[in-house]
Amino acid sequence: MSPRLERLAMRCAAWPASLMTRVLLRTSRRPAHRSGEEALAALLDDQRSFIPCSWHRRVLPVSAFLISRLRERGVRPTFLVSLSRDGELGSSVLRSWGADSVRGSTSRGGRQALTKLRRRLKEDGQAVFLAPDGPRGPAHEAQLGAVVLAQVSGAPLLPMGAALTSAWTLRSWDRLLVPKPGSRVAITIGEPIEVPLRADADELEHVRGLLQGSLDQQVDEARRLLAAGG
């Protein structure tokens, strides 16, 4: 199949995929349990650009919650989406949700994508979502891409996590979680992480470690909230 036909096929598949995920993620938009929303609210009140992050495995519930909250404040978020065939489908679904996408990754199209995202973040009150362990892992290991974007843009990183009571696990590298209908969802948000403009390699690695630790902490906190909520 030619690249043009592949793109057309992915776009045709976007409508049923979008409908399915809208149904499955309805509870994710209004999670049963959440914490740390004051950090998100403060960034939005200040109309400051920021970079929300989550592990790749949990992007569906986190994205649904984030898009819902940002649209309430008149913000249309941007997502970094890979150049793969799956990325074409993801971009189409994001458009149907009311979000934008920039295609690229740390391995393909990275420099061009970084430039586009930096420009977006230089505008007041913008949000660019990244999964720091994407596009192909290793899962739950933060790469430097998100940290570098925060450095060159001046926008802080905002770690987020999610937990679900019931989900399907896809046979993908990230073991993507797809919420089952009726699943209870917990969303957690950590403190923003600033990256100095003149940070050297050692400082960037330190921030990468902070981001990884916070992302793990958000997942643990989300699980705790679900367990405590019964």
Side-chain angles (χ1 to χ4, degrees):
M1 183 182 294
S2 69
R4 179 177 293 181
L5 288 177
E6 284 185 354
R7 288 194 296 269
L8 179 60
M10 286 296 177
R11 288 170 182 168
C12 291
W15 185 83
S18 175
L19 180 61
M20 180 186 71
T21 52
R22 281 176 185 271
V23 173
L24 294 177
L25 296 173
R26 183 169 296 174
T27 54
S28 301
R29 292 193 177 92
R30 296 292 178 183
H33 307 282
R34 52 194 181 272
S35 70
E37 282 196 88
E38 60 277 3
L40 174 60
L43 291 168
L44 292 171
D45 289 343
D46 292 342
Q47 295 187 331
R48 188 177 180 193
S49 294
F50 62 101
I51 305 170
C53 301
S54 81
W55 291 134
H56 218 280
R57 190 181 190 203
R58 301 170 191 277
V59 295
L60 289 180
V62 170
S63 297
F65 169 80
L66 184 67
I67 291 172
S68 176
R69 285 294 186 271
L70 295 184
R71 289 184 65 182
E72 291 173 357
R73 303 292 290 265
V75 177
R76 186 180 177 96
T78 299
F79 288 71
L80 179 63
V81 179
S82 74
L83 291 168
S84 67
R85 286 179 294 177
D86 290 344
E88 186 69 35
L89 178 60
S91 292
S92 297
V93 171
L94 284 169
R95 282 194 296 272
S96 74
W97 287 4
D100 296 325
S101 63
V102 167
R103 304 296 300 279
S105 70
T106 54
S107 56
R108 296 173 58 203
R111 180 170 296 181
Q112 296 89 333
L114 180 65
T115 299
K116 291 179 182 178
L117 296 177
R118 178 180 178 275
R119 288 173 181 165
R120 177 61 64 92
L121 288 166
K122 285 295 184 180
E123 303 173 20
D124 291 339
Q126 298 298 314
V128 168
F129 179 91
L130 298 178
D133 56 344
R136 289 294 174 185
H140 294 181
E141 289 189 21
Q143 308 299 313
L144 274 173
V147 177
V148 171
L149 178 60
Q151 179 190 31
V152 300
S153 67
L157 300 159
L158 188 67
M160 301 181 66
L164 307 103
T165 55
S166 182
W168 290 290
T169 300
L170 300 190
R171 294 181 180 179
S172 53
W173 70 266
D174 58 351
R175 307 277 292 167
L176 184 71
L177 293 173
V178 180
K180 291 183 179 180
S183 172
R184 288 187 295 113
V185 180
I187 298 289
T188 56
I189 304 172
E191 289 297 318
I193 300 174
E194 305 279 354
V195 184
L197 177 61
R198 299 187 181 279
D200 59 23
D202 289 340
E203 291 172 312
L204 292 179
E205 174 60 25
H206 175 69
V207 174
R208 188 203 64 78
L210 291 178
L211 175 61
Q212 176 152 334
S214 184
L215 288 171
D216 286 338
Q217 181 181 352
Q218 300 319 308
V219 174
D220 289 343
E221 174 65 10
R223 289 170 174 160
R224 188 193 66 79
L225 285 175
L226 279 185

